[in-house]
Coordinates of all heavy atoms in Angstrom, one line a residue:
L1 N 187.2 139.7 65.2 CA 186.9 139.0 63.9 C 185.6 139.6 63.3 O 184.6 139.6 64.0 CB 186.9 137.5 64.1 CG 186.4 136.7 62.9 CD1 187.4 136.8 61.8 CD2 186.2 135.3 63.3
I2 N 185.6 140.0 62.1 CA 184.4 140.5 61.4 C 184.1 139.5 60.3 O 185.0 139.1 59.6 CB 184.7 141.9 60.8 CG1 185.0 142.9 61.9 CG2 183.5 142.3 60.0 CD1 185.4 144.3 61.4
N3 N 182.8 139.1 60.3 CA 182.4 138.1 59.3 C 181.1 138.6 58.6 O 180.1 139.0 59.2 CB 182.1 136.8 60.0 CG 181.8 135.7 59.1 OD1 181.7 135.8 57.9 ND2 181.6 134.5 59.7
T4 N 181.2 138.6 57.2 CA 180.0 139.0 56.4 C 180.2 138.4 55.0 O 181.3 137.9 54.7 CB 179.9 140.6 56.3 OG1 178.7 140.9 55.7 CG2 181.1 141.2 55.6
K5 N 179.2 138.4 54.2 CA 179.2 137.8 52.9 C 180.0 138.7 51.9 O 180.6 138.2 51.0 CB 177.9 137.5 52.4 CG 177.2 136.3 53.1 CD 175.9 135.9 52.5 CE 175.4 134.7 53.2 NZ 174.1 134.2 52.6
H6 N 179.8 140.0 52.0 CA 180.4 140.9 51.1 C 180.8 142.2 51.8 O 180.0 142.8 52.5 CB 179.4 141.2 49.9 CG 179.9 142.2 49.0 ND1 180.9 142.0 48.1 CD2 179.6 143.5 48.8 CE1 181.2 143.1 47.4 NE2 180.3 144.0 47.8
A7 N 182.0 142.7 51.6 CA 182.4 144.0 52.1 C 183.3 144.7 51.1 O 183.9 144.0 50.3 CB 183.2 143.7 53.5
T8 N 183.5 146.0 51.3 CA 184.3 146.8 50.5 C 185.4 147.4 51.3 O 185.1 148.0 52.4 CB 183.5 147.9 49.7 OG1 182.5 147.2 49.0 CG2 184.4 148.7 48.8
F9 N 186.7 147.3 50.9 CA 187.7 148.0 51.6 C 188.2 149.2 50.7 O 188.6 149.0 49.6 CB 188.9 147.1 51.9 CG 190.1 147.7 52.5 CD1 189.9 148.2 53.8 CD2 191.3 147.8 51.9 CE1 191.0 148.8 54.5 CE2 192.4 148.4 52.5 CZ 192.2 148.9 53.8
N10 N 188.1 150.4 51.3 CA 188.6 151.6 50.6 C 190.1 151.8 51.0 O 190.3 152.2 52.1 CB 187.7 152.8 50.9 CG 188.1 154.0 50.2 OD1 189.3 154.4 50.1 ND2 187.2 154.7 49.6
I11 N 191.0 151.6 50.0 CA 192.4 151.7 50.3 C 192.8 153.1 50.8 O 193.6 153.3 51.7 CB 193.2 151.3 49.1 CG1 193.0 149.8 48.7 CG2 194.7 151.5 49.3 CD1 193.5 149.4 47.4
F12 N 192.2 154.1 50.2 CA 192.6 155.5 50.4 C 192.1 156.0 51.8 O 192.8 156.6 52.6 CB 192.1 156.4 49.3 CG 192.7 156.1 48.0 CD1 191.9 155.5 47.0 CD2 194.1 156.3 47.7 CE1 192.5 155.2 45.8 CE2 194.6 156.0 46.5 CZ 193.8 155.4 45.5
E13 N 190.8 155.6 52.1 CA 190.2 156.0 53.4 C 190.5 155.0 54.5 O 190.2 155.3 55.7 CB 188.7 156.2 53.2 CG 188.4 157.4 52.3 CD 186.9 157.5 52.1 OE1 186.1 156.9 52.7 OE2 186.5 158.4 51.2
K14 N 191.0 153.9 54.2 CA 191.3 152.8 55.1 C 190.0 152.4 55.9 O 190.0 152.3 57.1 CB 192.4 153.1 56.0 CG 193.7 153.5 55.3 CD 194.9 153.2 56.1 CE 196.2 153.4 55.4 NZ 196.3 154.1 54.1
T15 N 188.9 152.2 55.1 CA 187.6 151.8 55.7 C 187.1 150.6 55.1 O 187.3 150.3 53.9 CB 186.6 152.9 55.5 OG1 186.4 153.2 54.1 CG2 186.9 154.2 56.3
I16 N 186.4 149.8 56.0 CA 185.7 148.6 55.5 C 184.2 148.9 55.7 O 183.8 149.4 56.7 CB 186.0 147.4 56.4 CG1 187.5 147.0 56.2 CG2 185.2 146.2 56.0 CD1 188.0 145.9 57.1
Q17 N 183.4 148.6 54.6 CA 182.0 148.9 54.7 C 181.2 147.7 54.1 O 181.6 147.1 53.2 CB 181.7 150.1 53.8 CG 180.2 150.5 53.8 CD 179.9 151.7 53.0 OE1 180.6 152.1 52.1 NE2 178.7 152.3 53.3
T18 N 180.1 147.4 54.8 CA 179.2 146.4 54.3 C 177.8 146.8 54.6 O 177.6 147.5 55.6 CB 179.5 145.0 55.0 OG1 178.5 144.0 54.4 CG2 179.3 145.0 56.5
K19 N 176.9 146.5 53.8 CA 175.5 146.8 54.0 C 174.7 145.5 54.2 O 173.5 145.5 54.2 CB 174.9 147.6 52.8 CG 175.6 148.9 52.6 CD 175.1 149.7 51.5 CE 175.8 151.0 51.5 NZ 175.4 152.0 50.5
E20 N 175.4 144.4 54.4 CA 174.8 143.1 54.6 C 174.9 142.8 56.1 O 175.5 143.5 56.9 CB 175.4 142.1 53.7 CG 175.3 142.3 52.3 CD 175.9 141.2 51.4 OE1 176.0 140.1 51.9 OE2 176.2 141.5 50.2
K21 N 174.3 141.6 56.4 CA 174.4 141.1 57.8 C 175.8 140.9 58.1 O 176.6 140.3 57.3 CB 173.6 139.8 57.9 CG 173.4 139.4 59.4 CD 172.5 138.2 59.4 CE 171.8 138.1 60.7 NZ 170.8 137.0 60.8
V22 N 176.2 141.4 59.3 CA 177.6 141.3 59.7 C 177.7 140.8 61.2 O 176.8 141.1 62.0 CB 178.4 142.6 59.6 CG1 177.7 143.7 60.5 CG2 179.8 142.5 59.8
F23 N 178.7 140.0 61.4 CA 178.9 139.4 62.8 C 180.3 139.9 63.2 O 181.3 139.8 62.5 CB 178.9 137.9 62.8 CG 177.6 137.3 62.4 CD1 177.4 136.9 61.1 CD2 176.6 137.2 63.3 CE1 176.2 136.4 60.7 CE2 175.3 136.6 62.9 CZ 175.2 136.3 61.6
V24 N 180.4 140.4 64.5 CA 181.7 140.7 65.1 C 181.8 139.9 66.3 O 181.0 139.8 67.2 CB 181.7 142.2 65.5 CG1 183.1 142.6 66.1 CG2 181.4 143.1 64.3
F25 N 182.9 139.1 66.3 CA 183.2 138.2 67.4 C 184.3 138.7 68.3 O 185.3 139.2 67.8 CB 183.6 136.8 66.9 CG 182.5 136.2 66.1 CD1 182.5 136.3 64.7 CD2 181.5 135.5 66.7 CE1 181.5 135.7 63.9 CE2 180.5 134.9 65.9 CZ 180.5 135.0 64.6
Y26 N 184.2 138.6 69.6 CA 185.2 139.1 70.6 C 185.8 137.9 71.2 O 185.3 136.8 71.3 CB 184.6 140.0 71.6 CG 184.0 141.3 71.0 CD1 182.7 141.3 70.5 CD2 184.8 142.4 70.8 CE1 182.2 142.5 69.9 CE2 184.3 143.5 70.2 CZ 183.0 143.6 69.7 OH 182.5 144.7 69.1
D27 N 187.0 138.1 71.8 CA 187.8 137.0 72.4 C 187.1 136.3 73.6 O 187.3 135.2 73.8 CB 189.1 137.5 73.0 CG 190.1 137.9 71.9 OD1 189.9 137.5 70.7 OD2 191.0 138.7 72.1
D28 N 186.2 137.1 74.3 CA 185.5 136.5 75.4 C 184.2 135.7 75.0 O 183.5 135.3 75.9 CB 185.1 137.6 76.4 CG 184.1 138.6 75.9 OD1 183.7 138.5 74.7 OD2 183.7 139.5 76.7
G29 N 184.0 135.5 73.7 CA 182.8 134.8 73.3 C 181.6 135.7 73.0 O 180.6 135.2 72.5
T30 N 181.7 137.0 73.3 CA 180.6 137.9 72.9 C 180.5 138.0 71.4 O 181.5 138.1 70.7 CB 180.9 139.3 73.6 OG1 181.0 139.1 75.0 CG2 179.8 140.2 73.3
K31 N 179.2 138.1 71.0 CA 179.0 138.3 69.5 C 178.1 139.4 69.3 O 177.0 139.6 69.9 CB 178.3 137.0 69.0 CG 178.0 137.1 67.5 CD 177.4 135.8 67.0 CE 175.9 135.7 67.3 NZ 175.3 134.6 66.6
L32 N 178.4 140.3 68.3 CA 177.6 141.4 67.9 C 177.1 141.1 66.5 O 177.8 140.7 65.6 CB 178.4 142.7 67.9 CG 177.7 144.0 67.6 CD1 178.2 145.1 68.5 CD2 177.8 144.4 66.2
E33 N 175.8 141.3 66.3 CA 175.2 141.0 65.0 C 174.4 142.3 64.5 O 173.7 142.9 65.3 CB 174.2 139.9 65.1 CG 173.4 139.5 63.9 CD 172.4 138.4 64.3 OE1 172.8 137.4 64.9 OE2 171.2 138.6 63.9
S34 N 174.7 142.7 63.3 CA 174.0 143.9 62.8 C 173.8 143.8 61.3 O 174.4 143.0 60.6 CB 174.9 145.1 63.1 OG 174.3 146.3 62.7
Y35 N 173.0 144.8 60.7 CA 172.9 144.9 59.3 C 173.6 146.2 58.9 O 173.2 147.3 59.2 CB 171.4 145.0 58.9 CG 170.8 143.6 58.9 CD1 170.1 143.2 60.1 CD2 170.9 142.7 57.9 CE1 169.5 142.0 60.2 CE2 170.3 141.5 57.9 CZ 169.6 141.1 59.1 OH 169.1 139.9 59.1
G36 N 174.8 146.0 58.4 CA 175.6 147.1 57.9 C 176.6 147.6 59.0 O 176.4 147.5 60.2
L37 N 177.8 147.9 58.5 CA 178.9 148.3 59.4 C 179.9 149.2 58.6 O 180.2 148.9 57.4 CB 179.7 147.1 59.9 CG 181.0 147.3 60.6 CD1 180.6 147.9 62.0 CD2 181.7 146.0 60.8
N38 N 180.3 150.3 59.2 CA 181.4 151.1 58.6 C 182.5 151.1 59.7 O 182.3 151.4 60.8 CB 180.9 152.5 58.4 CG 180.0 152.6 57.3 OD1 180.4 152.5 56.1 ND2 178.7 152.9 57.6
Y39 N 183.7 150.6 59.3 CA 184.8 150.5 60.2 C 186.0 151.2 59.6 O 186.5 150.8 58.5 CB 185.1 149.1 60.5 CG 186.2 148.8 61.4 CD1 186.3 149.4 62.7 CD2 187.3 148.0 61.0 CE1 187.4 149.2 63.5 CE2 188.4 147.8 61.9 CZ 188.4 148.4 63.1 OH 189.5 148.2 63.9
N40 N 186.6 152.1 60.4 CA 187.8 152.8 60.0 C 189.0 152.0 60.6 O 189.2 152.0 61.8 CB 187.9 154.2 60.4 CG 189.1 155.0 59.9 OD1 190.2 154.6 60.1 ND2 188.8 156.1 59.2
V41 N 189.8 151.3 59.8 CA 190.9 150.5 60.2 C 192.0 151.3 60.9 O 192.6 150.9 61.9 CB 191.4 149.6 59.1 CG1 192.6 148.8 59.5 CG2 190.3 148.7 58.5
E42 N 192.2 152.5 60.3 CA 193.3 153.3 60.8 C 193.0 153.8 62.2 O 193.9 153.8 63.1 CB 193.5 154.5 59.9 CG 194.8 155.2 60.1 CD 195.1 156.2 59.0 OE1 194.2 157.0 58.6 OE2 196.2 156.1 58.4
N43 N 191.8 154.3 62.5 CA 191.6 154.9 63.9 C 190.8 154.0 64.8 O 190.6 154.3 66.0 CB 190.9 156.3 63.8 CG 189.5 156.2 63.2 OD1 188.9 155.2 63.2 ND2 189.0 157.4 62.8
G44 N 190.3 152.8 64.3 CA 189.7 151.8 65.1 C 188.2 152.2 65.5 O 187.7 151.6 66.4
I45 N 187.6 153.1 64.8 CA 186.2 153.5 65.1 C 185.3 152.9 64.1 O 185.5 153.0 62.9 CB 186.1 155.0 65.1 CG1 187.0 155.6 66.3 CG2 184.6 155.5 65.3 CD1 187.0 157.1 66.3
G46 N 184.2 152.3 64.6 CA 183.2 151.8 63.7 C 181.8 152.1 64.1 O 181.6 152.5 65.3
F47 N 180.8 152.0 63.2 CA 179.4 152.3 63.6 C 178.5 151.5 62.6 O 178.9 151.1 61.6 CB 179.1 153.8 63.6 CG 179.2 154.4 62.2 CD1 178.1 154.5 61.3 CD2 180.4 154.9 61.7 CE1 178.2 155.0 60.1 CE2 180.5 155.5 60.5 CZ 179.4 155.5 59.6
G48 N 177.3 151.4 63.1 CA 176.2 150.8 62.3 C 174.9 151.3 62.7 O 174.7 151.7 63.9
S49 N 174.0 151.4 61.7 CA 172.7 152.0 62.0 C 171.5 151.2 61.5 O 170.4 151.6 61.3 CB 172.6 153.4 61.4 OG 172.8 153.4 60.0
G50 N 171.8 149.9 61.2 CA 170.8 149.0 60.7 C 170.2 148.0 61.8 O 169.8 146.9 61.4
G51 N 170.3 148.4 63.0 CA 169.8 147.6 64.1 C 171.0 146.7 64.6 O 171.9 146.4 63.8
V52 N 171.0 146.4 65.8 CA 172.1 145.6 66.4 C 171.6 144.7 67.5 O 170.7 145.1 68.3 CB 173.2 146.6 66.9 CG1 172.8 147.5 68.0 CG2 174.5 145.8 67.3
K53 N 172.2 143.5 67.6 CA 172.0 142.6 68.8 C 173.4 142.2 69.2 O 174.3 141.9 68.4 CB 171.2 141.4 68.4 CG 169.8 141.6 68.2 CD 169.1 140.3 68.0 CE 168.5 140.2 66.6 NZ 167.9 138.9 66.3
M54 N 173.6 142.3 70.5 CA 174.9 141.8 71.1 C 174.6 140.7 72.1 O 173.8 140.9 73.0 CB 175.6 142.9 71.7 CG 177.0 142.5 72.2 SD 178.0 144.0 72.6 CE 179.6 143.3 72.9
F55 N 175.2 139.5 71.9 CA 174.9 138.4 72.8 C 176.2 138.1 73.6 O 177.3 138.1 73.1 CB 174.7 137.1 71.9 CG 173.6 137.3 70.9 CD1 173.9 137.8 69.6 CD2 172.3 136.9 71.2 CE1 172.8 137.9 68.7 CE2 171.3 137.0 70.3 CZ 171.5 137.5 69.0
G56 N 175.9 138.0 74.9 CA 177.0 137.7 75.8 C 176.5 136.7 76.9 O 175.3 136.4 77.0
E57 N 177.4 136.3 77.8 CA 176.9 135.3 78.8 C 176.0 136.0 79.8 O 175.3 135.4 80.5 CB 178.1 134.7 79.5 CG 179.1 135.7 80.2 CD 180.3 135.0 80.8 OE1 181.0 134.3 80.1 OE2 180.5 135.2 82.0
W58 N 176.0 137.3 79.8 CA 175.1 138.1 80.7 C 173.7 138.4 80.2 O 172.8 138.7 80.9 CB 175.8 139.4 81.0 CG 176.6 139.9 79.9 CD1 177.9 139.8 79.7 CD2 176.1 140.6 78.7 NE1 178.3 140.3 78.5 CE2 177.2 140.8 77.8 CE3 174.8 140.9 78.2 CZ2 177.1 141.4 76.6 CZ3 174.7 141.5 77.0 CH2 175.8 141.7 76.2
G59 N 173.5 138.2 78.8 CA 172.3 138.5 78.2 C 172.4 139.0 76.8 O 173.4 138.8 76.1
I60 N 171.4 139.8 76.4 CA 171.3 140.3 75.0 C 171.0 141.8 75.1 O 170.1 142.2 75.8 CB 170.2 139.6 74.2 CG1 170.4 138.1 74.1 CG2 170.1 140.2 72.8 CD1 169.3 137.4 73.5
I61 N 171.7 142.6 74.3 CA 171.4 144.0 74.2 C 170.9 144.2 72.7 O 171.5 143.7 71.8 CB 172.7 144.9 74.4 CG1 173.2 144.7 75.8 CG2 172.4 146.3 74.0 CD1 174.6 145.4 76.0
R62 N 169.8 144.9 72.6 CA 169.2 145.3 71.3 C 169.1 146.8 71.2 O 168.8 147.4 72.2 CB 167.8 144.7 71.1 CG 167.8 143.2 71.0 CD 166.3 142.7 70.9 NE 166.3 141.2 70.7 CZ 166.2 140.3 71.7 NH1 166.3 140.7 72.9 NH2 166.2 139.1 71.4
A63 N 169.5 147.3 70.0 CA 169.4 148.8 69.8 C 169.2 149.0 68.3 O 169.4 148.1 67.5 CB 170.6 149.5 70.4
N64 N 168.9 150.2 68.0 CA 168.7 150.6 66.6 C 170.0 150.9 65.9 O 170.2 150.9 64.7 CB 167.7 151.7 66.4 CG 166.3 151.3 66.7 OD1 165.9 150.1 66.4 ND2 165.6 152.1 67.4
S65 N 171.0 151.4 66.7 CA 172.3 151.7 66.2 C 173.4 151.6 67.2 O 173.1 151.5 68.4 CB 172.3 153.1 65.6 OG 172.0 154.1 66.5
F66 N 174.7 151.6 66.8 CA 175.8 151.4 67.7 C 177.0 152.1 67.2 O 177.1 152.4 66.0 CB 176.0 150.0 68.0 CG 176.6 149.2 66.9 CD1 178.0 149.0 66.8 CD2 175.8 148.8 65.8 CE1 178.5 148.3 65.7 CE2 176.4 148.1 64.7 CZ 177.7 147.9 64.7
S67 N 178.0 152.3 68.1 CA 179.3 152.7 67.6 C 180.3 152.0 68.6 O 180.0 151.6 69.7 CB 179.5 154.2 67.7 OG 179.5 154.6 69.0
F68 N 181.5 151.8 68.1 CA 182.6 151.3 69.0 C 183.9 151.9 68.6 O 184.1 152.4 67.5 CB 182.7 149.7 68.8 CG 183.1 149.2 67.5 CD1 184.4 149.0 67.1 CD2 182.1 149.0 66.5 CE1 184.7 148.5 65.9 CE2 182.4 148.5 65.3 CZ 183.7 148.2 65.0
D69 N 184.8 151.9 69.6 CA 186.1 152.5 69.5 C 187.1 151.5 70.1 O 187.0 151.2 71.3 CB 186.1 153.8 70.2 CG 187.4 154.6 70.0 OD1 188.5 154.0 69.7 OD2 187.4 155.8 70.2
T70 N 188.0 151.0 69.3 CA 188.9 150.0 69.8 C 190.0 150.6 70.7 O 190.6 149.8 71.5 CB 189.6 149.2 68.6 OG1 190.2 150.1 67.8 CG2 188.5 148.4 67.8
S71 N 190.2 151.9 70.6 CA 191.2 152.5 71.5 C 190.8 152.5 73.0 O 191.6 152.4 73.9 CB 191.6 153.8 71.0 OG 190.6 154.8 71.1
D72 N 189.5 152.8 73.2 CA 189.0 152.8 74.6 C 188.2 151.6 75.0 O 187.6 151.6 76.0 CB 188.3 154.1 74.9 CG 187.0 154.3 74.1 OD1 186.5 153.3 73.4 OD2 186.3 155.4 74.2
H73 N 188.0 150.7 74.0 CA 187.3 149.4 74.3 C 185.9 149.6 74.7 O 185.4 148.9 75.5 CB 188.1 148.6 75.3 CG 189.5 148.3 74.9 ND1 189.8 147.4 74.0 CD2 190.6 148.9 75.4 CE1 191.2 147.4 73.8 NE2 191.7 148.3 74.7
M74 N 185.2 150.6 74.1 CA 183.8 151.0 74.4 C 182.9 150.7 73.2 O 183.3 151.0 72.1 CB 183.7 152.4 74.8 CG 184.5 152.8 76.1 SD 183.8 152.1 77.5 CE 182.3 153.0 77.7
I75 N 181.8 150.1 73.5 CA 180.7 149.9 72.5 C 179.5 150.8 73.1 O 179.1 150.6 74.2 CB 180.3 148.5 72.4 CG1 181.5 147.6 71.9 CG2 179.1 148.4 71.4 CD1 181.2 146.1 72.0
R76 N 179.0 151.6 72.2 CA 177.9 152.5 72.6 C 176.6 152.1 71.8 O 176.8 151.9 70.6 CB 178.2 153.9 72.4 CG 179.3 154.4 73.4 CD 179.9 155.8 73.0 NE 180.9 156.2 73.9 CZ 182.2 155.9 73.9 NH1 182.6 155.1 72.9 NH2 183.0 156.3 74.7
F77 N 175.5 152.0 72.5 CA 174.2 151.7 71.9 C 173.3 152.9 71.9 O 173.2 153.6 72.9 CB 173.6 150.5 72.6 CG 174.5 149.3 72.5 CD1 175.4 149.0 73.6 CD2 174.4 148.4 71.5 CE1 176.2 147.9 73.5 CE2 175.2 147.3 71.4 CZ 176.1 147.0 72.4
Y78 N 172.6 153.1 70.8 CA 171.8 154.3 70.6 C 170.4 154.0 70.2 O 170.1 152.9 69.7 CB 172.4 155.3 69.6 CG 173.8 155.6 69.8 CD1 174.8 155.0 69.1 CD2 174.2 156.6 70.8 CE1 176.2 155.3 69.4 CE2 175.5 156.9 71.0 CZ 176.5 156.3 70.3 OH 177.8 156.6 70.5
N79 N 169.5 154.9 70.3 CA 168.1 154.8 69.9 C 167.4 153.6 70.5 O 167.1 152.6 69.9 CB 168.0 154.7 68.3 CG 168.7 155.9 67.6 OD1 168.5 157.0 68.1 ND2 169.4 155.6 66.6
K80 N 167.1 153.8 71.8 CA 166.3 152.9 72.6 C 166.9 151.5 72.8 O 166.4 150.5 72.5 CB 164.9 152.7 71.9 CG 164.1 154.0 71.8 CD 162.8 153.7 71.2 CE 162.0 155.0 71.0 NZ 160.8 154.9 70.4
P81 N 168.1 151.5 73.4 CA 168.8 150.2 73.7 C 168.0 149.5 74.8 O 167.4 150.1 75.7 CB 170.2 150.6 74.2 CG 170.1 152.0 74.6 CD 169.0 152.6 73.7
K82 N 168.0 148.2 74.7 CA 167.2 147.4 75.6 C 168.2 146.2 76.0 O 168.7 145.5 75.2 CB 166.0 146.8 75.0 CG 165.2 145.9 75.9 CD 163.9 145.5 75.2 CE 163.1 144.5 76.1 NZ 161.9 144.0 75.4
L83 N 168.3 146.0 77.3 CA 169.1 144.9 77.8 C 168.2 143.8 78.5 O 167.4 144.1 79.3 CB 170.1 145.4 78.9 CG 170.9 144.3 79.7 CD1 171.7 143.4 78.8 CD2 171.8 145.0 80.7
T84 N 168.3 142.6 78.0 CA 167.6 141.4 78.6 C 168.6 140.5 79.3 O 169.5 140.0 78.6 CB 166.8 140.7 77.5 OG1 166.0 141.6 76.8 CG2 166.0 139.5 78.1
F85 N 168.5 140.3 80.6 CA 169.5 139.5 81.3 C 169.1 138.0 81.1 O 167.9 137.7 81.0 CB 169.4 139.8 82.8 CG 170.0 141.2 83.1 CD1 169.2 142.2 83.4 CD2 171.4 141.3 83.1 CE1 169.8 143.5 83.7 CE2 172.0 142.6 83.4 CZ 171.1 143.7 83.7
N86 N 170.1 137.2 81.1 CA 169.9 135.7 81.0 C 169.4 135.2 82.4 O 169.6 135.7 83.4 CB 171.2 135.0 80.7 CG 171.5 135.1 79.3 OD1 170.7 135.3 78.4 ND2 172.8 134.8 79.0

């Protein structure tokens, strides 16, 4: 589930883009929070470069940018990621 105040869907490129605060919620209760997101609906690849925080029962990951791929279920954090355990 992606939640933001304003987003744009490009019908031809099949992309969703927002430059505002965005929340991504996962089935296990994990929450990702970032400023800005580009997500390609067709290939399942997304990225953001406006800073990111990911909250889970294990702790918090903070980084300057991230990417994710829904086909391999991987989230990658870039530019000095930091993990704080609960």
